[in-house]
Amino acid sequence: MSRDHNNNKPAGKILIFSSPSGAGKTTIVHHLLKKFPSLAFSVSATTRPQRPHETDGKDYYFLTPEEFRQKIDEGAFVEWEEVYENTCYGTLRSEVDRLLNKGKQVVFDVDVKGALNIKKQFGDRALAVFVMPPSVEELERRLRHRSTDPEESIRERVAKARLEMSYADKFDVILVNDVLEDTLKKAEEIVSNFIGKA
Ligand code: ADP
Ligand code: 5GP
């Protein structure tokens, strides 16, 4: 296993997926985790309410705002953002270290600012992929069809999408998610090209 000479930690690769909510990154990431056993998902912490099909510790670590604040004060986050009003999300240092120490390549599903922050910290060890919806209208349709968020939350997510899409050209790769089957094939190619690289 190669090691990072600066801190002697295993130098696993880092794959960062980001997009406006509803563009399809969870779908893509789940597919890749099944396809590539060397990948492991970095479970983030959040203060948002748990959705019916989500599991605490698997999809997110669901924290109260007080617990989240305490982790900020302890310096427990690699990065964190108030992605939506009064709703925070953050990448736990302990989670990333745990996966790298297991020799895994770590996959992140984070918002655009978090993605560029992680990319800056990990440099060439990281690949930042922006998942682009075919249009904002299609994004809204997918969010409604997913039926996991209240109307107000859908509106907030759609309203934020255009701003998030303006960050796309700061990423290493833009993956347009139109026909899902094609997208998953392209995603597989992107990952095997990157993790195959010495
Ligand atoms: P995100 O994680 O970016 O919020 P999801 O992966 O939850 O997005 O996808 C949002 C919704 O759109 C889900 O219901 C998912 O099944 C659906 N979806 C994902 N990709 C496509 C696609 N290419 N075409 C149509 N629906 C899709
Ligand atoms: P959702 O509530 O739909 O699961 O996620 C909302 C947004 O928060 C998505 O853009 C998702 O990528 C982002 N997100 C999830 N975890 C993190 C994290 O640890 N850090 C940051 N910055 N964003 C995150």
Side-chain angles (χ1 to χ4, degrees):
M1 188 191 297
S2 68
R3 301 190 90 84
D4 182 328
H5 296 299
N6 295 325
N7 56 15
N8 203 34
K9 284 207 176 119
K13 298 222 171 153
I14 304 288
L15 278 154
I16 311 159
F17 286 85
S18 195
S19 75
S21 183
K25 65 192 166 312
T26 307
T27 308
I28 296 165
V29 164
H30 281 176
H31 173 80
L32 293 172
L33 289 167
K34 267 194 247 152
K35 192 87 194 173
F36 297 92
S38 65
L39 302 184
F41 183 62
S42 167
V43 178
S44 295
T46 182
T47 61
R48 92 148 153 69
Q50 191 170 346
R51 293 175 185 150
H53 300 294
E54 289 178 327
T55 310
D56 189 22
K58 183 167 168 271
D59 297 289
Y60 283 104
Y61 298 108
F62 293 96
L63 304 183
T64 64
E66 294 71 32
E67 288 168 334
F68 199 96
R69 168 57 55 190
Q70 196 181 336
K71 296 241 178 259
I72 295 173
D73 293 345
E74 288 166 359
F77 290 116
V78 173
E79 61 77 36
W80 69 272
E81 298 285 337
E82 184 177 352
V83 178
Y84 302 109
E85 202 180 347
N86 294 323
T87 310
C88 293
Y89 296 79
T91 302
L92 291 162
R93 205 173 296 284
S94 56
E95 177 76 2
V96 180
D97 287 348
R98 183 177 70 81
L99 299 175
L100 289 176
N101 285 328
K102 277 167 81 175
K104 294 288 188 182
Q105 333 228 35
V106 186
V107 180
F108 295 84
D109 170 344
V110 293
D111 87 316
V112 288
K113 287 189 188 154
L116 296 174
N117 191 341
I118 294 168
K119 170 74 189 176
K120 206 169 152 192
Q121 295 186 45
F122 287 91
D124 286 346
R125 269 174 77 187
L127 187 77
V129 181
F130 189 91
V131 179
M132 181 72 92
S135 64
V136 176
E137 292 69 29
E138 171 62 11
L139 179 86
E140 184 166 358
R141 200 190 64 75
R142 288 181 191 172
L143 282 172
R144 291 193 191 289
H145 191 251
R146 188 171 71 181
S147 319
T148 52
D149 299 285
E151 179 58 30
E152 194 193 317
S153 171
I154 290 179
R155 261 188 264 131
E156 191 179 17
R157 281 156 197 262
V158 172
K160 206 174 176 193
R162 278 178 223 280
L163 175 68
E164 290 168 327
M165 283 158 71
S166 71
Y167 281 77
D169 61 7
K170 299 190 191 306
F171 283 67
D172 298 313
V173 183
I174 298 175
L175 176 61
V176 178
N177 181 20
D178 190 353
V179 177
L180 184 58
E181 206 189 343
D182 298 344
T183 307
L184 297 179
K185 284 221 175 69
K186 277 189 218 139
E188 285 176 27
E189 276 171 31
I190 290 167
V191 172
S192 45
N193 284 340
F194 183 65
I195 66 178
K197 236 172 38 178

mmCIF file of all heavy atoms in Angstrom, residues 5-48:
data_model
loop_
_atom_site.group_PDB
_atom_site.id
_atom_site.type_symbol
_atom_site.label_atom_id
_atom_site.label_comp_id
_atom_site.label_asym_id
_atom_site.label_seq_id
_atom_site.Cartn_x
_atom_site.Cartn_y
_atom_site.Cartn_z
ATOM 1 N N HIS A 5 3.647 10.646 2.160
ATOM 2 C CA HIS A 5 4.900 10.892 2.867
ATOM 3 C C HIS A 5 4.777 11.979 3.922
ATOM 4 O O HIS A 5 5.557 12.043 4.856
ATOM 5 C CB HIS A 5 6.006 11.247 1.870
ATOM 6 C CG HIS A 5 6.286 10.096 0.964
ATOM 7 N ND1 HIS A 5 6.720 8.895 1.434
ATOM 8 C CD2 HIS A 5 6.125 9.942 -0.363
ATOM 9 C CE1 HIS A 5 6.850 8.046 0.431
ATOM 10 N NE2 HIS A 5 6.480 8.658 -0.673
ATOM 11 N N ASN A 6 3.797 12.859 3.775
ATOM 12 C CA ASN A 6 3.678 13.962 4.734
ATOM 13 C C ASN A 6 3.201 13.499 6.098
ATOM 14 O O ASN A 6 3.645 13.978 7.122
ATOM 15 C CB ASN A 6 2.691 15.029 4.217
ATOM 16 C CG ASN A 6 3.246 15.674 2.970
ATOM 17 O OD1 ASN A 6 4.452 15.841 2.862
ATOM 18 N ND2 ASN A 6 2.371 15.991 2.031
ATOM 19 N N ASN A 7 2.273 12.533 6.129
ATOM 20 C CA ASN A 7 1.715 12.152 7.429
ATOM 21 C C ASN A 7 1.701 10.642 7.651
ATOM 22 O O ASN A 7 1.141 10.166 8.628
ATOM 23 C CB ASN A 7 0.292 12.719 7.587
ATOM 24 C CG ASN A 7 -0.595 12.253 6.448
ATOM 25 O OD1 ASN A 7 -0.242 11.318 5.741
ATOM 26 N ND2 ASN A 7 -1.739 12.883 6.283
ATOM 27 N N ASN A 8 2.307 9.900 6.723
ATOM 28 C CA ASN A 8 2.407 8.444 6.828
ATOM 29 C C ASN A 8 1.052 7.732 6.860
ATOM 30 O O ASN A 8 0.940 6.620 7.339
ATOM 31 C CB ASN A 8 3.249 8.053 8.055
ATOM 32 C CG ASN A 8 3.839 6.658 7.871
ATOM 33 O OD1 ASN A 8 4.173 6.279 6.743
ATOM 34 N ND2 ASN A 8 3.946 5.891 8.935
ATOM 35 N N LYS A 9 0.018 8.414 6.335
ATOM 36 C CA LYS A 9 -1.297 7.754 6.236
ATOM 37 C C LYS A 9 -1.369 7.033 4.890
ATOM 38 O O LYS A 9 -0.725 7.467 3.924
ATOM 39 C CB LYS A 9 -2.390 8.815 6.273
ATOM 40 C CG LYS A 9 -2.605 9.332 7.679
ATOM 41 C CD LYS A 9 -4.012 9.823 7.843
ATOM 42 C CE LYS A 9 -4.217 10.229 9.282
ATOM 43 N NZ LYS A 9 -4.563 11.636 9.381
ATOM 44 N N PRO A 10 -2.148 5.958 4.780
ATOM 45 C CA PRO A 10 -2.282 5.293 3.485
ATOM 46 C C PRO A 10 -2.796 6.281 2.446
ATOM 47 O O PRO A 10 -3.730 7.031 2.713
ATOM 48 C CB PRO A 10 -3.324 4.201 3.749
ATOM 49 C CG PRO A 10 -3.401 4.052 5.220
ATOM 50 C CD PRO A 10 -2.982 5.364 5.813
ATOM 51 N N ALA A 11 -2.158 6.291 1.253
ATOM 52 C CA ALA A 11 -2.508 7.295 0.247
ATOM 53 C C ALA A 11 -3.573 6.760 -0.701
ATOM 54 O O ALA A 11 -3.331 6.614 -1.893
ATOM 55 C CB ALA A 11 -1.251 7.727 -0.496
ATOM 56 N N GLY A 12 -4.747 6.434 -0.167
ATOM 57 C CA GLY A 12 -5.851 5.983 -1.003
ATOM 58 C C GLY A 12 -6.349 7.124 -1.864
ATOM 59 O O GLY A 12 -6.090 8.297 -1.571
ATOM 60 N N LYS A 13 -7.057 6.771 -2.942
ATOM 61 C CA LYS A 13 -7.592 7.828 -3.808
ATOM 62 C C LYS A 13 -8.944 8.299 -3.288
ATOM 63 O O LYS A 13 -9.633 7.585 -2.559
ATOM 64 C CB LYS A 13 -7.690 7.313 -5.224
ATOM 65 C CG LYS A 13 -6.314 6.945 -5.764
ATOM 66 C CD LYS A 13 -6.117 7.383 -7.165
ATOM 67 C CE LYS A 13 -4.666 7.172 -7.540
ATOM 68 N NZ LYS A 13 -4.490 6.962 -8.963
ATOM 69 N N ILE A 14 -9.285 9.486 -3.730
ATOM 70 C CA ILE A 14 -10.476 10.164 -3.236
ATOM 71 C C ILE A 14 -11.359 10.498 -4.436
ATOM 72 O O ILE A 14 -10.887 11.143 -5.378
ATOM 73 C CB ILE A 14 -10.052 11.499 -2.556
ATOM 74 C CG1 ILE A 14 -9.022 11.263 -1.428
ATOM 75 C CG2 ILE A 14 -11.228 12.331 -2.113
ATOM 76 C CD1 ILE A 14 -9.557 10.636 -0.199
ATOM 77 N N LEU A 15 -12.616 10.062 -4.406
ATOM 78 C CA LEU A 15 -13.555 10.378 -5.494
ATOM 79 C C LEU A 15 -14.685 11.222 -4.937
ATOM 80 O O LEU A 15 -15.408 10.774 -4.034
ATOM 81 C CB LEU A 15 -14.136 9.074 -6.047
ATOM 82 C CG LEU A 15 -13.256 8.348 -7.051
ATOM 83 C CD1 LEU A 15 -13.573 6.860 -7.038
ATOM 84 C CD2 LEU A 15 -13.495 8.913 -8.454
ATOM 85 N N ILE A 16 -14.820 12.413 -5.474
ATOM 86 C CA ILE A 16 -15.816 13.337 -4.934
ATOM 87 C C ILE A 16 -16.934 13.523 -5.965
ATOM 88 O O ILE A 16 -16.663 13.928 -7.106
ATOM 89 C CB ILE A 16 -15.186 14.711 -4.641
ATOM 90 C CG1 ILE A 16 -13.886 14.557 -3.847
ATOM 91 C CG2 ILE A 16 -16.171 15.604 -3.903
ATOM 92 C CD1 ILE A 16 -12.968 15.772 -3.951
ATOM 93 N N PHE A 17 -18.167 13.233 -5.561
ATOM 94 C CA PHE A 17 -19.322 13.446 -6.441
ATOM 95 C C PHE A 17 -20.159 14.582 -5.878
ATOM 96 O O PHE A 17 -20.479 14.603 -4.691
ATOM 97 C CB PHE A 17 -20.167 12.169 -6.558
ATOM 98 C CG PHE A 17 -19.509 11.133 -7.412
ATOM 99 C CD1 PHE A 17 -18.578 10.264 -6.872
ATOM 100 C CD2 PHE A 17 -19.771 11.062 -8.773
ATOM 101 C CE1 PHE A 17 -17.932 9.322 -7.676
ATOM 102 C CE2 PHE A 17 -19.133 10.129 -9.587
ATOM 103 C CZ PHE A 17 -18.219 9.261 -9.039
ATOM 104 N N SER A 18 -20.511 15.504 -6.770
ATOM 105 C CA SER A 18 -21.293 16.640 -6.333
ATOM 106 C C SER A 18 -22.281 17.005 -7.424
ATOM 107 O O SER A 18 -22.037 16.731 -8.610
ATOM 108 C CB SER A 18 -20.343 17.805 -6.067
ATOM 109 O OG SER A 18 -20.986 18.798 -5.339
ATOM 110 N N SER A 19 -23.393 17.622 -7.023
ATOM 111 C CA SER A 19 -24.392 18.042 -8.011
ATOM 112 C C SER A 19 -25.488 18.780 -7.269
ATOM 113 O O SER A 19 -25.566 18.690 -6.048
ATOM 114 C CB SER A 19 -25.023 16.822 -8.691
ATOM 115 O OG SER A 19 -25.942 16.197 -7.819
ATOM 116 N N PRO A 20 -26.379 19.451 -7.997
ATOM 117 C CA PRO A 20 -27.578 19.934 -7.328
ATOM 118 C C PRO A 20 -28.356 18.720 -6.817
ATOM 119 O O PRO A 20 -28.294 17.645 -7.429
ATOM 120 C CB PRO A 20 -28.365 20.641 -8.436
ATOM 121 C CG PRO A 20 -27.404 20.850 -9.546
ATOM 122 C CD PRO A 20 -26.361 19.797 -9.430
ATOM 123 N N SER A 21 -29.079 18.882 -5.743
ATOM 124 C CA SER A 21 -29.898 17.793 -5.206
ATOM 125 C C SER A 21 -30.891 17.347 -6.285
ATOM 126 O O SER A 21 -31.524 18.181 -6.938
ATOM 127 C CB SER A 21 -30.643 18.309 -3.970
ATOM 128 O OG SER A 21 -31.382 17.280 -3.394
ATOM 129 N N GLY A 22 -30.997 16.050 -6.504
ATOM 130 C CA GLY A 22 -31.944 15.513 -7.484
ATOM 131 C C GLY A 22 -31.312 15.172 -8.821
ATOM 132 O O GLY A 22 -31.950 14.579 -9.687
ATOM 133 N N ALA A 23 -30.037 15.528 -9.016
ATOM 134 C CA ALA A 23 -29.396 15.266 -10.323
ATOM 135 C C ALA A 23 -29.047 13.793 -10.504
ATOM 136 O O ALA A 23 -28.820 13.336 -11.622
ATOM 137 C CB ALA A 23 -28.149 16.118 -10.484
ATOM 138 N N GLY A 24 -28.938 13.054 -9.398
ATOM 139 C CA GLY A 24 -28.702 11.605 -9.521
ATOM 140 C C GLY A 24 -27.415 11.103 -8.899
ATOM 141 O O GLY A 24 -27.032 9.955 -9.116
ATOM 142 N N LYS A 25 -26.745 11.908 -8.070
ATOM 143 C CA LYS A 25 -25.434 11.430 -7.601
ATOM 144 C C LYS A 25 -25.548 10.263 -6.631
ATOM 145 O O LYS A 25 -24.710 9.359 -6.657
ATOM 146 C CB LYS A 25 -24.564 12.559 -7.036
ATOM 147 C CG LYS A 25 -25.082 13.199 -5.793
ATOM 148 C CD LYS A 25 -24.317 14.450 -5.502
ATOM 149 C CE LYS A 25 -25.045 15.270 -4.461
ATOM 150 N NZ LYS A 25 -26.485 15.476 -4.701
ATOM 151 N N THR A 26 -26.596 10.206 -5.807
ATOM 152 C CA THR A 26 -26.740 9.060 -4.896
ATOM 153 C C THR A 26 -26.913 7.770 -5.703
ATOM 154 O O THR A 26 -26.304 6.742 -5.390
ATOM 155 C CB THR A 26 -27.966 9.263 -3.963
ATOM 156 O OG1 THR A 26 -27.830 10.538 -3.344
ATOM 157 C CG2 THR A 26 -28.047 8.193 -2.899
ATOM 158 N N THR A 27 -27.729 7.838 -6.748
ATOM 159 C CA THR A 27 -27.952 6.679 -7.619
ATOM 160 C C THR A 27 -26.626 6.214 -8.223
ATOM 161 O O THR A 27 -26.309 5.019 -8.227
ATOM 162 C CB THR A 27 -28.935 7.069 -8.756
ATOM 163 O OG1 THR A 27 -30.102 7.654 -8.170
ATOM 164 C CG2 THR A 27 -29.318 5.882 -9.606
ATOM 165 N N ILE A 28 -25.844 7.160 -8.715
ATOM 166 C CA ILE A 28 -24.561 6.830 -9.363
ATOM 167 C C ILE A 28 -23.579 6.259 -8.341
ATOM 168 O O ILE A 28 -22.935 5.231 -8.577
ATOM 169 C CB ILE A 28 -23.982 8.097 -10.048
ATOM 170 C CG1 ILE A 28 -24.919 8.546 -11.173
ATOM 171 C CG2 ILE A 28 -22.570 7.846 -10.562
ATOM 172 C CD1 ILE A 28 -24.651 9.958 -11.688
ATOM 173 N N VAL A 29 -23.492 6.901 -7.179
ATOM 174 C CA VAL A 29 -22.544 6.457 -6.147
ATOM 175 C C VAL A 29 -22.902 5.047 -5.664
ATOM 176 O O VAL A 29 -22.023 4.194 -5.528
ATOM 177 C CB VAL A 29 -22.500 7.488 -4.983
ATOM 178 C CG1 VAL A 29 -21.850 6.902 -3.750
ATOM 179 C CG2 VAL A 29 -21.751 8.744 -5.423
ATOM 180 N N HIS A 30 -24.191 4.765 -5.447
ATOM 181 C CA HIS A 30 -24.598 3.413 -5.016
ATOM 182 C C HIS A 30 -24.178 2.373 -6.049
ATOM 183 O O HIS A 30 -23.689 1.302 -5.706
ATOM 184 C CB HIS A 30 -26.118 3.355 -4.795
ATOM 185 C CG HIS A 30 -26.516 3.944 -3.482
ATOM 186 N ND1 HIS A 30 -27.828 4.091 -3.078
ATOM 187 C CD2 HIS A 30 -25.784 4.434 -2.464
ATOM 188 C CE1 HIS A 30 -27.866 4.645 -1.879
ATOM 189 N NE2 HIS A 30 -26.638 4.858 -1.488
ATOM 190 N N HIS A 31 -24.357 2.710 -7.315
ATOM 191 C CA HIS A 31 -23.971 1.783 -8.388
ATOM 192 C C HIS A 31 -22.458 1.511 -8.343
ATOM 193 O O HIS A 31 -22.018 0.362 -8.415
ATOM 194 C CB HIS A 31 -24.372 2.377 -9.740
ATOM 195 C CG HIS A 31 -23.881 1.589 -10.906
ATOM 196 N ND1 HIS A 31 -24.510 0.444 -11.349
ATOM 197 C CD2 HIS A 31 -22.787 1.761 -11.713
ATOM 198 C CE1 HIS A 31 -23.836 -0.056 -12.379
ATOM 199 N NE2 HIS A 31 -22.787 0.718 -12.615
ATOM 200 N N LEU A 32 -21.673 2.569 -8.198
ATOM 201 C CA LEU A 32 -20.208 2.417 -8.206
ATOM 202 C C LEU A 32 -19.721 1.617 -7.009
ATOM 203 O O LEU A 32 -18.785 0.822 -7.115
ATOM 204 C CB LEU A 32 -19.543 3.806 -8.236
ATOM 205 C CG LEU A 32 -19.777 4.593 -9.531
ATOM 206 C CD1 LEU A 32 -19.257 6.017 -9.379
ATOM 207 C CD2 LEU A 32 -19.093 3.903 -10.719
ATOM 208 N N LEU A 33 -20.370 1.814 -5.858
ATOM 209 C CA LEU A 33 -19.949 1.081 -4.644
ATOM 210 C C LEU A 33 -20.183 -0.423 -4.817
ATOM 211 O O LEU A 33 -19.423 -1.238 -4.312
ATOM 212 C CB LEU A 33 -20.708 1.603 -3.417
ATOM 213 C CG LEU A 33 -20.297 3.011 -2.957
ATOM 214 C CD1 LEU A 33 -21.323 3.556 -1.961
ATOM 215 C CD2 LEU A 33 -18.900 3.016 -2.337
ATOM 216 N N LYS A 34 -21.243 -0.762 -5.550
ATOM 217 C CA LYS A 34 -21.521 -2.195 -5.805
ATOM 218 C C LYS A 34 -20.507 -2.756 -6.810
ATOM 219 O O LYS A 34 -20.064 -3.882 -6.702
ATOM 220 C CB LYS A 34 -22.932 -2.349 -6.387
ATOM 221 C CG LYS A 34 -23.967 -2.614 -5.286
ATOM 222 C CD LYS A 34 -25.264 -3.104 -5.881
ATOM 223 C CE LYS A 34 -26.335 -2.054 -5.663
ATOM 224 N NZ LYS A 34 -27.390 -2.033 -6.657
ATOM 225 N N LYS A 35 -20.157 -1.935 -7.779
ATOM 226 C CA LYS A 35 -19.297 -2.371 -8.889
ATOM 227 C C LYS A 35 -17.822 -2.486 -8.483
ATOM 228 O O LYS A 35 -17.104 -3.353 -8.958
ATOM 229 C CB LYS A 35 -19.462 -1.342 -10.013
ATOM 230 C CG LYS A 35 -18.903 -1.730 -11.321
ATOM 231 C CD LYS A 35 -19.896 -2.513 -12.139
ATOM 232 C CE LYS A 35 -19.224 -3.192 -13.300
ATOM 233 N NZ LYS A 35 -20.140 -4.078 -14.008
ATOM 234 N N PHE A 36 -17.355 -1.584 -7.620
ATOM 235 C CA PHE A 36 -15.924 -1.535 -7.260
ATOM 236 C C PHE A 36 -15.762 -1.791 -5.755
ATOM 237 O O PHE A 36 -15.940 -0.877 -4.947
ATOM 238 C CB PHE A 36 -15.328 -0.164 -7.602
ATOM 239 C CG PHE A 36 -15.339 0.180 -9.058
ATOM 240 C CD1 PHE A 36 -16.408 0.884 -9.613
ATOM 241 C CD2 PHE A 36 -14.273 -0.179 -9.884
ATOM 242 C CE1 PHE A 36 -16.415 1.218 -10.965
ATOM 243 C CE2 PHE A 36 -14.280 0.157 -11.236
ATOM 244 C CZ PHE A 36 -15.353 0.844 -11.771
ATOM 245 N N PRO A 37 -15.390 -3.025 -5.371
ATOM 246 C CA PRO A 37 -15.289 -3.359 -3.948
ATOM 247 C C PRO A 37 -14.215 -2.572 -3.191
ATOM 248 O O PRO A 37 -14.279 -2.493 -1.962
ATOM 249 C CB PRO A 37 -14.933 -4.854 -3.948
ATOM 250 C CG PRO A 37 -15.161 -5.330 -5.333
ATOM 251 C CD PRO A 37 -15.127 -4.156 -6.250
ATOM 252 N N SER A 38 -13.260 -1.966 -3.909
ATOM 253 C CA SER A 38 -12.219 -1.212 -3.189
ATOM 254 C C SER A 38 -12.704 0.175 -2.762
ATOM 255 O O SER A 38 -12.021 0.871 -2.019
ATOM 256 C CB SER A 38 -10.966 -1.065 -4.052
ATOM 257 O OG SER A 38 -11.256 -0.273 -5.185
ATOM 258 N N LEU A 39 -13.898 0.565 -3.232
ATOM 259 C CA LEU A 39 -14.428 1.878 -2.851
ATOM 260 C C LEU A 39 -15.225 1.784 -1.560
ATOM 261 O O LEU A 39 -15.870 0.767 -1.294
ATOM 262 C CB LEU A 39 -15.379 2.425 -3.931
ATOM 263 C CG LEU A 39 -14.862 2.614 -5.356
ATOM 264 C CD1 LEU A 39 -15.940 3.266 -6.216
ATOM 265 C CD2 LEU A 39 -13.604 3.462 -5.364
ATOM 266 N N ALA A 40 -15.187 2.839 -0.768
ATOM 267 C CA ALA A 40 -16.032 2.900 0.432
ATOM 268 C C ALA A 40 -16.586 4.311 0.564
ATOM 269 O O ALA A 40 -15.910 5.291 0.222
ATOM 270 C CB ALA A 40 -15.222 2.534 1.665
ATOM 271 N N PHE A 41 -17.820 4.390 1.043
ATOM 272 C CA PHE A 41 -18.532 5.669 1.109
ATOM 273 C C PHE A 41 -18.235 6.399 2.423
ATOM 274 O O PHE A 41 -18.326 5.809 3.503
ATOM 275 C CB PHE A 41 -20.033 5.395 1.001
ATOM 276 C CG PHE A 41 -20.882 6.626 0.984
ATOM 277 C CD1 PHE A 41 -20.755 7.557 -0.038
ATOM 278 C CD2 PHE A 41 -21.807 6.873 1.983
ATOM 279 C CE1 PHE A 41 -21.538 8.705 -0.067
ATOM 280 C CE2 PHE A 41 -22.605 8.011 1.969
ATOM 281 C CZ PHE A 41 -22.463 8.925 0.940
ATOM 282 N N SER A 42 -17.875 7.646 2.307
ATOM 283 C CA SER A 42 -17.669 8.471 3.506
ATOM 284 C C SER A 42 -19.034 8.968 3.993
ATOM 285 O O SER A 42 -19.668 9.799 3.339
ATOM 286 C CB SER A 42 -16.775 9.667 3.167
ATOM 287 O OG SER A 42 -16.825 10.604 4.209
ATOM 288 N N VAL A 43 -19.485 8.411 5.109
ATOM 289 C CA VAL A 43 -20.791 8.780 5.664
ATOM 290 C C VAL A 43 -20.644 10.135 6.359
ATOM 291 O O VAL A 43 -19.814 10.295 7.253
ATOM 292 C CB VAL A 43 -21.288 7.702 6.656
ATOM 293 C CG1 VAL A 43 -22.627 8.104 7.267
ATOM 294 C CG2 VAL A 43 -21.398 6.343 5.968
ATOM 295 N N SER A 44 -21.429 11.113 5.889
ATOM 296 C CA SER A 44 -21.374 12.469 6.447
ATOM 297 C C SER A 44 -22.266 12.595 7.673
ATOM 298 O O SER A 44 -23.154 11.760 7.884
ATOM 299 C CB SER A 44 -21.875 13.473 5.408
ATOM 300 O OG SER A 44 -21.034 13.513 4.295
ATOM 301 N N ALA A 45 -22.052 13.651 8.410
ATOM 302 C CA ALA A 45 -22.970 14.018 9.494
ATOM 303 C C ALA A 45 -23.921 15.093 8.975
ATOM 304 O O ALA A 45 -23.537 15.894 8.121
ATOM 305 C CB ALA A 45 -22.183 14.556 10.674
ATOM 306 N N THR A 46 -25.161 15.078 9.449
ATOM 307 C CA THR A 46 -26.101 16.130 9.067
ATOM 308 C C THR A 46 -27.098 16.412 10.191
ATOM 309 O O THR A 46 -27.350 15.545 11.024
ATOM 310 C CB THR A 46 -26.891 15.767 7.788
ATOM 311 O OG1 THR A 46 -27.746 16.866 7.443
ATOM 312 C CG2 THR A 46 -27.760 14.535 7.953
ATOM 313 N N THR A 47 -27.655 17.624 10.119
ATOM 314 C CA THR A 47 -28.728 17.972 11.066
ATOM 315 C C THR A 47 -30.105 17.848 10.405
ATOM 316 O O THR A 47 -31.107 18.179 11.024
ATOM 317 C CB THR A 47 -28.557 19.416 11.590
ATOM 318 O OG1 THR A 47 -28.623 20.319 10.468
ATOM 319 C CG2 THR A 47 -27.238 19.599 12.303
ATOM 320 N N ARG A 48 -30.165 17.405 9.139
ATOM 321 C CA ARG A 48 -31.499 17.315 8.515
ATOM 322 C C ARG A 48 -32.240 16.076 9.029
ATOM 323 O O ARG A 48 -31.607 15.099 9.443
ATOM 324 C CB ARG A 48 -31.407 17.361 6.989
ATOM 325 C CG ARG A 48 -31.298 16.044 6.289
ATOM 326 C CD ARG A 48 -31.968 16.049 4.929
ATOM 327 N NE ARG A 48 -31.392 15.085 3.998
ATOM 328 C CZ ARG A 48 -31.504 13.760 4.123
ATOM 329 N NH1 ARG A 48 -32.135 13.211 5.158
ATOM 330 N NH2 ARG A 48 -30.953 12.976 3.216
#
